[in-house]
mmCIF file of all heavy atoms in Angstrom:
data_model
loop_
_atom_site.group_PDB
_atom_site.id
_atom_site.type_symbol
_atom_site.label_atom_id
_atom_site.label_comp_id
_atom_site.label_asym_id
_atom_site.label_seq_id
_atom_site.Cartn_x
_atom_site.Cartn_y
_atom_site.Cartn_z
ATOM 1 N N THR A 1 -1.441 -14.600 1.016
ATOM 2 C CA THR A 1 -1.370 -13.568 2.066
ATOM 3 C C THR A 1 -2.362 -13.998 3.218
ATOM 4 O O THR A 1 -3.541 -14.087 2.984
ATOM 5 C CB THR A 1 -1.765 -12.224 1.494
ATOM 6 O OG1 THR A 1 -0.952 -11.797 0.537
ATOM 7 C CG2 THR A 1 -1.779 -11.060 2.694
ATOM 8 N N SER A 2 -1.691 -14.067 4.349
ATOM 9 C CA SER A 2 -2.582 -14.486 5.550
ATOM 10 C C SER A 2 -3.173 -13.282 6.341
ATOM 11 O O SER A 2 -4.170 -13.356 6.801
ATOM 12 C CB SER A 2 -1.684 -15.190 6.525
ATOM 13 O OG SER A 2 -0.544 -14.339 6.996
ATOM 14 N N ASP A 3 -2.570 -12.152 6.106
ATOM 15 C CA ASP A 3 -3.004 -10.894 6.683
ATOM 16 C C ASP A 3 -3.733 -9.949 5.694
ATOM 17 O O ASP A 3 -3.054 -9.077 5.157
ATOM 18 C CB ASP A 3 -1.902 -10.187 7.385
ATOM 19 C CG ASP A 3 -2.328 -9.004 8.274
ATOM 20 O OD1 ASP A 3 -3.529 -8.727 8.303
ATOM 21 O OD2 ASP A 3 -1.600 -8.407 9.062
ATOM 22 N N GLN A 4 -4.849 -10.252 5.353
ATOM 23 C CA GLN A 4 -5.628 -9.441 4.405
ATOM 24 C C GLN A 4 -5.959 -8.021 4.930
ATOM 25 O O GLN A 4 -6.027 -7.058 4.087
ATOM 26 C CB GLN A 4 -7.005 -10.148 4.068
ATOM 27 C CG GLN A 4 -6.877 -11.452 3.382
ATOM 28 C CD GLN A 4 -6.240 -11.274 1.932
ATOM 29 O OE1 GLN A 4 -6.218 -10.176 1.359
ATOM 30 N NE2 GLN A 4 -5.774 -12.431 1.380
ATOM 31 N N ARG A 5 -5.993 -7.851 6.221
ATOM 32 C CA ARG A 5 -6.233 -6.527 6.803
ATOM 33 C C ARG A 5 -5.059 -5.606 6.403
ATOM 34 O O ARG A 5 -5.260 -4.486 6.073
ATOM 35 C CB ARG A 5 -6.480 -6.581 8.254
ATOM 36 C CG ARG A 5 -7.808 -7.171 8.636
ATOM 37 C CD ARG A 5 -7.967 -7.396 10.136
ATOM 38 N NE ARG A 5 -6.883 -8.163 10.741
ATOM 39 C CZ ARG A 5 -6.651 -8.417 12.031
ATOM 40 N NH1 ARG A 5 -7.503 -7.826 12.917
ATOM 41 N NH2 ARG A 5 -5.712 -9.242 12.436
ATOM 42 N N LEU A 6 -3.906 -6.117 6.395
ATOM 43 C CA LEU A 6 -2.628 -5.283 6.161
ATOM 44 C C LEU A 6 -2.775 -4.891 4.665
ATOM 45 O O LEU A 6 -2.493 -3.722 4.267
ATOM 46 C CB LEU A 6 -1.381 -6.027 6.530
ATOM 47 C CG LEU A 6 -0.084 -5.339 5.893
ATOM 48 C CD1 LEU A 6 0.129 -4.003 6.608
ATOM 49 C CD2 LEU A 6 1.151 -6.290 6.193
ATOM 50 N N ALA A 7 -2.960 -5.949 3.831
ATOM 51 C CA ALA A 7 -3.061 -5.526 2.334
ATOM 52 C C ALA A 7 -4.167 -4.515 2.139
ATOM 53 O O ALA A 7 -3.928 -3.659 1.288
ATOM 54 C CB ALA A 7 -3.385 -6.935 1.654
ATOM 55 N N GLN A 8 -5.324 -4.748 2.774
ATOM 56 C CA GLN A 8 -6.318 -3.648 2.632
ATOM 57 C C GLN A 8 -5.852 -2.241 3.149
ATOM 58 O O GLN A 8 -6.084 -1.278 2.383
ATOM 59 C CB GLN A 8 -7.613 -4.033 3.361
ATOM 60 C CG GLN A 8 -8.784 -3.136 3.132
ATOM 61 C CD GLN A 8 -9.207 -3.104 1.632
ATOM 62 O OE1 GLN A 8 -9.098 -4.075 0.915
ATOM 63 N NE2 GLN A 8 -9.916 -2.000 1.294
ATOM 64 N N LYS A 9 -5.204 -2.169 4.186
ATOM 65 C CA LYS A 9 -4.741 -0.938 4.719
ATOM 66 C C LYS A 9 -3.735 -0.176 3.774
ATOM 67 O O LYS A 9 -3.681 1.023 3.520
ATOM 68 C CB LYS A 9 -4.089 -1.059 6.063
ATOM 69 C CG LYS A 9 -5.001 -1.345 7.216
ATOM 70 C CD LYS A 9 -4.325 -1.493 8.555
ATOM 71 C CE LYS A 9 -5.397 -1.711 9.619
ATOM 72 N NZ LYS A 9 -4.661 -1.901 10.929
ATOM 73 N N LEU A 10 -2.907 -1.090 3.124
ATOM 74 C CA LEU A 10 -1.877 -0.561 2.198
ATOM 75 C C LEU A 10 -2.656 0.064 0.927
ATOM 76 O O LEU A 10 -2.157 1.093 0.397
ATOM 77 C CB LEU A 10 -0.925 -1.647 1.733
ATOM 78 C CG LEU A 10 -0.026 -2.154 2.732
ATOM 79 C CD1 LEU A 10 0.757 -3.458 2.346
ATOM 80 C CD2 LEU A 10 0.992 -1.000 3.180
ATOM 81 N N HIS A 11 -3.680 -0.580 0.456
ATOM 82 C CA HIS A 11 -4.475 -0.083 -0.640
ATOM 83 C C HIS A 11 -5.148 1.162 -0.172
ATOM 84 O O HIS A 11 -5.296 2.105 -0.935
ATOM 85 C CB HIS A 11 -5.529 -1.082 -1.195
ATOM 86 C CG HIS A 11 -4.842 -2.230 -2.045
ATOM 87 N ND1 HIS A 11 -4.217 -3.303 -1.413
ATOM 88 C CD2 HIS A 11 -4.726 -2.274 -3.328
ATOM 89 C CE1 HIS A 11 -3.729 -3.988 -2.470
ATOM 90 N NE2 HIS A 11 -4.180 -3.489 -3.616
ATOM 91 N N GLU A 12 -5.741 1.219 0.990
ATOM 92 C CA GLU A 12 -6.517 2.367 1.492
ATOM 93 C C GLU A 12 -5.562 3.633 1.628
ATOM 94 O O GLU A 12 -5.969 4.745 1.414
ATOM 95 C CB GLU A 12 -7.127 2.101 2.805
ATOM 96 C CG GLU A 12 -8.378 1.068 2.584
ATOM 97 C CD GLU A 12 -8.931 0.641 3.987
ATOM 98 O OE1 GLU A 12 -8.254 0.961 5.017
ATOM 99 O OE2 GLU A 12 -9.862 -0.127 3.907
ATOM 100 N N ALA A 13 -4.245 3.340 2.050
ATOM 101 C CA ALA A 13 -3.296 4.483 2.060
ATOM 102 C C ALA A 13 -3.039 5.111 0.606
ATOM 103 O O ALA A 13 -2.976 6.291 0.545
ATOM 104 C CB ALA A 13 -1.986 3.915 2.649
ATOM 105 N N ILE A 14 -2.993 4.219 -0.341
ATOM 106 C CA ILE A 14 -2.855 4.696 -1.672
ATOM 107 C C ILE A 14 -4.059 5.634 -2.062
ATOM 108 O O ILE A 14 -3.984 6.734 -2.513
ATOM 109 C CB ILE A 14 -2.721 3.702 -2.708
ATOM 110 C CG1 ILE A 14 -1.360 2.784 -2.435
ATOM 111 C CG2 ILE A 14 -2.690 4.137 -4.209
ATOM 112 C CD1 ILE A 14 -1.278 1.537 -3.136
ATOM 113 N N GLU A 15 -5.246 5.081 -1.800
ATOM 114 C CA GLU A 15 -6.545 5.708 -2.113
ATOM 115 C C GLU A 15 -6.638 7.087 -1.512
ATOM 116 O O GLU A 15 -7.035 8.073 -2.099
ATOM 117 C CB GLU A 15 -7.668 4.796 -1.697
ATOM 118 C CG GLU A 15 -9.107 5.429 -2.180
ATOM 119 C CD GLU A 15 -9.665 6.335 -1.148
ATOM 120 O OE1 GLU A 15 -9.230 6.384 0.063
ATOM 121 O OE2 GLU A 15 -10.614 7.116 -1.499
ATOM 122 N N LYS A 16 -6.210 7.109 -0.257
ATOM 123 C CA LYS A 16 -6.281 8.326 0.631
ATOM 124 C C LYS A 16 -5.440 9.400 0.085
ATOM 125 O O LYS A 16 -5.799 10.529 -0.048
ATOM 126 C CB LYS A 16 -5.954 8.077 2.013
ATOM 127 C CG LYS A 16 -5.997 9.215 3.006
ATOM 128 C CD LYS A 16 -5.522 8.869 4.385
ATOM 129 C CE LYS A 16 -5.508 10.083 5.353
ATOM 130 N NZ LYS A 16 -5.167 9.662 6.737
ATOM 131 N N ASN A 17 -4.234 9.069 -0.206
ATOM 132 C CA ASN A 17 -3.230 10.081 -0.701
ATOM 133 C C ASN A 17 -3.508 10.534 -2.086
ATOM 134 O O ASN A 17 -3.262 11.690 -2.377
ATOM 135 C CB ASN A 17 -1.829 9.461 -0.657
ATOM 136 C CG ASN A 17 -1.338 9.456 0.824
ATOM 137 O OD1 ASN A 17 -1.371 10.430 1.493
ATOM 138 N ND2 ASN A 17 -1.005 8.239 1.256
ATOM 139 N N ILE A 18 -4.093 9.767 -2.881
ATOM 140 C CA ILE A 18 -4.555 10.206 -4.243
ATOM 141 C C ILE A 18 -5.755 11.049 -4.117
ATOM 142 O O ILE A 18 -5.763 12.201 -4.675
ATOM 143 C CB ILE A 18 -4.990 9.039 -5.181
ATOM 144 C CG1 ILE A 18 -3.725 8.236 -5.582
ATOM 145 C CG2 ILE A 18 -5.618 9.516 -6.474
ATOM 146 C CD1 ILE A 18 -4.003 7.076 -6.383
ATOM 147 N N ARG A 19 -6.687 10.813 -3.131
ATOM 148 C CA ARG A 19 -7.949 11.590 -2.894
ATOM 149 C C ARG A 19 -7.506 12.883 -2.326
ATOM 150 O O ARG A 19 -8.112 14.050 -2.669
ATOM 151 C CB ARG A 19 -8.823 10.964 -1.955
ATOM 152 C CG ARG A 19 -10.182 11.620 -1.385
ATOM 153 C CD ARG A 19 -11.110 10.656 -0.844
ATOM 154 N NE ARG A 19 -10.560 9.691 0.005
ATOM 155 C CZ ARG A 19 -10.208 9.834 1.326
ATOM 156 N NH1 ARG A 19 -10.380 11.001 1.895
ATOM 157 N NH2 ARG A 19 -9.723 8.812 2.007
ATOM 158 N N LEU A 20 -6.471 12.948 -1.500
ATOM 159 C CA LEU A 20 -6.023 14.274 -0.771
ATOM 160 C C LEU A 20 -4.970 14.963 -1.699
ATOM 161 O O LEU A 20 -4.396 16.016 -1.245
ATOM 162 C CB LEU A 20 -5.464 13.921 0.561
ATOM 163 C CG LEU A 20 -6.468 13.419 1.655
ATOM 164 C CD1 LEU A 20 -5.648 13.071 2.899
ATOM 165 C CD2 LEU A 20 -7.521 14.317 1.838
ATOM 166 N N GLN A 21 -4.785 14.460 -2.917
ATOM 167 C CA GLN A 21 -3.786 15.004 -3.844
ATOM 168 C C GLN A 21 -2.385 15.223 -3.244
ATOM 169 O O GLN A 21 -1.903 16.297 -3.346
ATOM 170 C CB GLN A 21 -4.450 16.315 -4.407
ATOM 171 C CG GLN A 21 -5.717 16.077 -5.090
ATOM 172 C CD GLN A 21 -6.299 17.277 -5.694
ATOM 173 O OE1 GLN A 21 -6.647 18.253 -5.025
ATOM 174 N NE2 GLN A 21 -6.465 17.279 -7.173
ATOM 175 N N ARG A 22 -1.819 14.141 -2.717
ATOM 176 C CA ARG A 22 -0.487 14.220 -2.160
ATOM 177 C C ARG A 22 0.382 13.255 -3.044
ATOM 178 O O ARG A 22 0.430 12.060 -2.752
ATOM 179 C CB ARG A 22 -0.603 13.669 -0.685
ATOM 180 C CG ARG A 22 -1.289 14.582 0.275
ATOM 181 C CD ARG A 22 -1.479 13.800 1.587
ATOM 182 N NE ARG A 22 -2.218 14.591 2.498
ATOM 183 C CZ ARG A 22 -2.644 14.016 3.750
ATOM 184 N NH1 ARG A 22 -2.369 12.774 4.022
ATOM 185 N NH2 ARG A 22 -3.220 14.796 4.628
ATOM 186 N N PRO A 23 0.983 13.773 -4.071
ATOM 187 C CA PRO A 23 1.677 12.839 -4.962
ATOM 188 C C PRO A 23 2.931 12.220 -4.336
ATOM 189 O O PRO A 23 3.027 10.959 -4.628
ATOM 190 C CB PRO A 23 2.192 13.904 -6.086
ATOM 191 C CG PRO A 23 2.071 15.214 -5.497
ATOM 192 C CD PRO A 23 1.000 15.086 -4.556
ATOM 193 N N ASP A 24 3.639 12.852 -3.562
ATOM 194 C CA ASP A 24 4.839 12.197 -2.854
ATOM 195 C C ASP A 24 4.331 11.033 -1.920
ATOM 196 O O ASP A 24 4.877 9.857 -1.988
ATOM 197 C CB ASP A 24 5.777 13.068 -2.032
ATOM 198 C CG ASP A 24 6.420 13.975 -3.084
ATOM 199 O OD1 ASP A 24 6.705 13.676 -4.215
ATOM 200 O OD2 ASP A 24 6.760 15.240 -2.614
ATOM 201 N N ALA A 25 3.363 11.318 -1.300
ATOM 202 C CA ALA A 25 2.794 10.288 -0.231
ATOM 203 C C ALA A 25 2.201 9.080 -0.970
ATOM 204 O O ALA A 25 2.224 7.875 -0.650
ATOM 205 C CB ALA A 25 1.796 10.923 0.579
ATOM 206 N N ALA A 26 1.498 9.366 -2.158
ATOM 207 C CA ALA A 26 0.832 8.407 -2.938
ATOM 208 C C ALA A 26 1.922 7.468 -3.560
ATOM 209 O O ALA A 26 1.829 6.246 -3.545
ATOM 210 C CB ALA A 26 0.068 8.974 -4.115
ATOM 211 N N ARG A 27 2.932 8.064 -4.048
ATOM 212 C CA ARG A 27 4.159 7.294 -4.612
ATOM 213 C C ARG A 27 4.736 6.383 -3.663
ATOM 214 O O ARG A 27 4.977 5.194 -3.770
ATOM 215 C CB ARG A 27 5.300 8.312 -5.053
ATOM 216 C CG ARG A 27 6.370 7.634 -5.802
ATOM 217 C CD ARG A 27 7.482 8.589 -6.117
ATOM 218 N NE ARG A 27 7.142 9.615 -7.095
ATOM 219 C CZ ARG A 27 6.941 10.899 -6.773
ATOM 220 N NH1 ARG A 27 7.093 11.361 -5.634
ATOM 221 N NH2 ARG A 27 6.575 11.740 -7.785
ATOM 222 N N ASN A 28 5.005 6.919 -2.283
ATOM 223 C CA ASN A 28 5.487 6.031 -1.278
ATOM 224 C C ASN A 28 4.631 5.001 -0.934
ATOM 225 O O ASN A 28 5.069 3.879 -0.427
ATOM 226 C CB ASN A 28 5.912 6.958 -0.093
ATOM 227 C CG ASN A 28 7.080 7.807 -0.493
ATOM 228 O OD1 ASN A 28 7.988 7.476 -1.244
ATOM 229 N ND2 ASN A 28 7.113 8.956 0.171
ATOM 230 N N ALA A 29 3.275 5.250 -0.875
ATOM 231 C CA ALA A 29 2.268 4.281 -0.434
ATOM 232 C C ALA A 29 2.225 3.101 -1.426
ATOM 233 O O ALA A 29 2.129 1.892 -0.907
ATOM 234 C CB ALA A 29 0.871 4.967 -0.359
ATOM 235 N N VAL A 30 2.453 3.371 -2.680
ATOM 236 C CA VAL A 30 2.454 2.328 -3.635
ATOM 237 C C VAL A 30 3.828 1.497 -3.532
ATOM 238 O O VAL A 30 3.755 0.280 -3.655
ATOM 239 C CB VAL A 30 2.465 2.900 -5.072
ATOM 240 C CG1 VAL A 30 2.815 1.828 -6.078
ATOM 241 C CG2 VAL A 30 1.050 3.531 -5.355
ATOM 242 N N ARG A 31 4.854 2.093 -3.256
ATOM 243 C CA ARG A 31 6.186 1.384 -2.941
ATOM 244 C C ARG A 31 5.978 0.457 -1.813
ATOM 245 O O ARG A 31 6.561 -0.609 -1.722
ATOM 246 C CB ARG A 31 7.254 2.380 -2.765
ATOM 247 C CG ARG A 31 7.769 3.037 -4.102
ATOM 248 C CD ARG A 31 8.747 4.125 -3.872
ATOM 249 N NE ARG A 31 9.199 4.701 -5.185
ATOM 250 C CZ ARG A 31 9.734 5.986 -5.293
ATOM 251 N NH1 ARG A 31 9.942 6.646 -4.204
ATOM 252 N NH2 ARG A 31 10.078 6.287 -6.475
ATOM 253 N N ARG A 32 5.277 0.850 -0.588
ATOM 254 C CA ARG A 32 5.093 0.017 0.491
ATOM 255 C C ARG A 32 4.191 -1.169 0.072
ATOM 256 O O ARG A 32 4.548 -2.249 0.481
ATOM 257 C CB ARG A 32 4.468 0.831 1.556
ATOM 258 C CG ARG A 32 5.284 1.829 2.262
ATOM 259 C CD ARG A 32 4.727 2.252 3.645
ATOM 260 N NE ARG A 32 3.572 3.111 3.304
ATOM 261 C CZ ARG A 32 3.674 4.441 3.173
ATOM 262 N NH1 ARG A 32 4.811 4.950 3.127
ATOM 263 N NH2 ARG A 32 2.497 5.050 2.983
ATOM 264 N N LEU A 33 3.213 -0.903 -0.773
ATOM 265 C CA LEU A 33 2.505 -2.079 -1.206
ATOM 266 C C LEU A 33 3.178 -3.118 -2.020
ATOM 267 O O LEU A 33 3.177 -4.362 -1.908
ATOM 268 C CB LEU A 33 1.249 -1.590 -2.016
ATOM 269 C CG LEU A 33 0.414 -2.629 -2.752
ATOM 270 C CD1 LEU A 33 -0.391 -3.498 -1.650
ATOM 271 C CD2 LEU A 33 -0.704 -2.021 -3.588
ATOM 272 N N LEU A 34 4.036 -2.653 -3.017
ATOM 273 C CA LEU A 34 4.824 -3.352 -3.827
ATOM 274 C C LEU A 34 5.860 -4.136 -2.977
ATOM 275 O O LEU A 34 6.105 -5.369 -3.299
ATOM 276 C CB LEU A 34 5.506 -2.563 -4.862
ATOM 277 C CG LEU A 34 4.641 -1.907 -5.948
ATOM 278 C CD1 LEU A 34 5.472 -0.993 -6.877
ATOM 279 C CD2 LEU A 34 3.881 -3.015 -6.734
ATOM 280 N N ALA A 35 6.489 -3.570 -2.004
ATOM 281 C CA ALA A 35 7.367 -4.225 -1.126
ATOM 282 C C ALA A 35 6.771 -5.414 -0.456
ATOM 283 O O ALA A 35 7.274 -6.501 -0.214
ATOM 284 C CB ALA A 35 7.964 -3.248 -0.068
ATOM 285 N N ASN A 36 5.451 -5.236 0.007
ATOM 286 C CA ASN A 36 4.716 -6.209 0.741
ATOM 287 C C ASN A 36 4.443 -7.353 -0.331
ATOM 288 O O ASN A 36 4.571 -8.547 0.082
ATOM 289 C CB ASN A 36 3.441 -5.625 1.287
ATOM 290 C CG ASN A 36 2.660 -6.786 1.926
ATOM 291 O OD1 ASN A 36 2.967 -7.208 3.015
ATOM 292 N ND2 ASN A 36 1.496 -7.137 1.343
ATOM 293 N N THR A 37 4.169 -6.999 -1.475
ATOM 294 C CA THR A 37 3.833 -8.061 -2.492
ATOM 295 C C THR A 37 5.245 -8.746 -2.895
ATOM 296 O O THR A 37 5.189 -10.081 -2.956
ATOM 297 C CB THR A 37 3.322 -7.473 -3.803
ATOM 298 O OG1 THR A 37 2.108 -6.784 -3.559
ATOM 299 C CG2 THR A 37 3.045 -8.511 -4.928
ATOM 300 N N ASP A 38 6.285 -8.144 -2.907
ATOM 301 C CA ASP A 38 7.558 -8.775 -3.101
ATOM 302 C C ASP A 38 7.853 -9.842 -2.046
ATOM 303 O O ASP A 38 8.322 -10.899 -2.307
ATOM 304 C CB ASP A 38 8.727 -7.785 -3.148
ATOM 305 C CG ASP A 38 8.622 -6.908 -4.431
ATOM 306 O OD1 ASP A 38 8.122 -7.254 -5.468
ATOM 307 O OD2 ASP A 38 9.308 -5.774 -4.359
ATOM 308 N N GLU A 39 7.538 -9.409 -0.812
ATOM 309 C CA GLU A 39 7.775 -10.343 0.320
ATOM 310 C C GLU A 39 6.920 -11.519 0.246
ATOM 311 O O GLU A 39 7.400 -12.681 0.550
ATOM 312 C CB GLU A 39 7.397 -9.581 1.603
ATOM 313 C CG GLU A 39 7.838 -10.360 2.889
ATOM 314 C CD GLU A 39 7.486 -9.608 4.132
ATOM 315 O OE1 GLU A 39 7.367 -8.396 4.061
ATOM 316 O OE2 GLU A 39 7.464 -10.216 5.239
ATOM 317 N N VAL A 40 5.655 -11.373 -0.190
ATOM 318 C CA VAL A 40 4.761 -12.499 -0.303
ATOM 319 C C VAL A 40 5.318 -13.521 -1.372
ATOM 320 O O VAL A 40 5.351 -14.727 -1.186
ATOM 321 C CB VAL A 40 3.359 -12.005 -0.742
ATOM 322 C CG1 VAL A 40 2.499 -13.298 -1.034
ATOM 323 C CG2 VAL A 40 2.768 -11.243 0.394
ATOM 324 N N ILE A 41 5.780 -12.927 -2.580
ATOM 325 C CA ILE A 41 6.405 -13.761 -3.520
ATOM 326 C C ILE A 41 7.587 -14.467 -3.116
ATOM 327 O O ILE A 41 7.923 -15.698 -3.425
ATOM 328 C CB ILE A 41 6.642 -12.943 -4.852
ATOM 329 C CG1 ILE A 41 5.237 -12.450 -5.475
ATOM 330 C CG2 ILE A 41 7.303 -13.749 -5.854
ATOM 331 C CD1 ILE A 41 5.377 -11.417 -6.543
ATOM 332 N N GLY A 42 8.488 -13.726 -2.318
ATOM 333 C CA GLY A 42 9.591 -14.349 -1.889
ATOM 334 C C GLY A 42 9.443 -15.497 -0.837
ATOM 335 O O GLY A 42 10.059 -16.542 -0.850
ATOM 336 N N ARG A 43 8.310 -15.270 -0.042
ATOM 337 C CA ARG A 43 8.017 -16.337 0.948
ATOM 338 C C ARG A 43 7.480 -17.647 0.312
ATOM 339 O O ARG A 43 7.790 -18.823 0.780
ATOM 340 C CB ARG A 43 6.943 -15.916 1.910
ATOM 341 C CG ARG A 43 7.335 -14.908 2.920
ATOM 342 C CD ARG A 43 6.385 -14.968 4.105
ATOM 343 N NE ARG A 43 4.972 -14.694 3.695
ATOM 344 C CZ ARG A 43 4.460 -13.488 3.710
ATOM 345 N NH1 ARG A 43 5.249 -12.384 4.089
ATOM 346 N NH2 ARG A 43 3.201 -13.301 3.362
ATOM 347 N N SER A 44 6.912 -17.418 -0.945
ATOM 348 C CA SER A 44 6.372 -18.664 -1.630
ATOM 349 C C SER A 44 7.473 -19.588 -2.186
ATOM 350 O O SER A 44 7.297 -20.759 -2.390
ATOM 351 C CB SER A 44 5.547 -18.268 -2.822
ATOM 352 O OG SER A 44 6.292 -17.665 -3.892
#
């Protein structure tokens, strides 16, 4: 991953939505992180 800031923001979004007790938003935040990881693996 060349853009560590994006990866960190994706993790922070998960943390925030769990902290604010937003289950749907937390679920979607994880899916965005996983999609980003899928893209990194695909690029390799």
Side-chain angles (χ1 to χ4, degrees):
T1 302
S2 56
D3 190 353
Q4 294 294 344
R5 288 177 299 178
L6 172 60
Q8 183 64 26
K9 286 181 180 178
L10 291 170
H11 283 81
E12 289 173 354
I14 297 170
E15 186 274 343
K16 177 180 178 180
N17 286 302
I18 292 176
R19 176 164 40 85
L20 297 178
Q21 297 184 298
R22 300 171 177 169
D24 290 336
R27 183 187 295 111
N28 291 331
V30 172
R31 287 174 176 159
R32 287 193 293 273
L33 173 65
L34 293 174
N36 181 69
T37 304
D38 290 339
E39 184 179 344
V40 172
I41 295 172
R43 284 200 306 264
S44 71

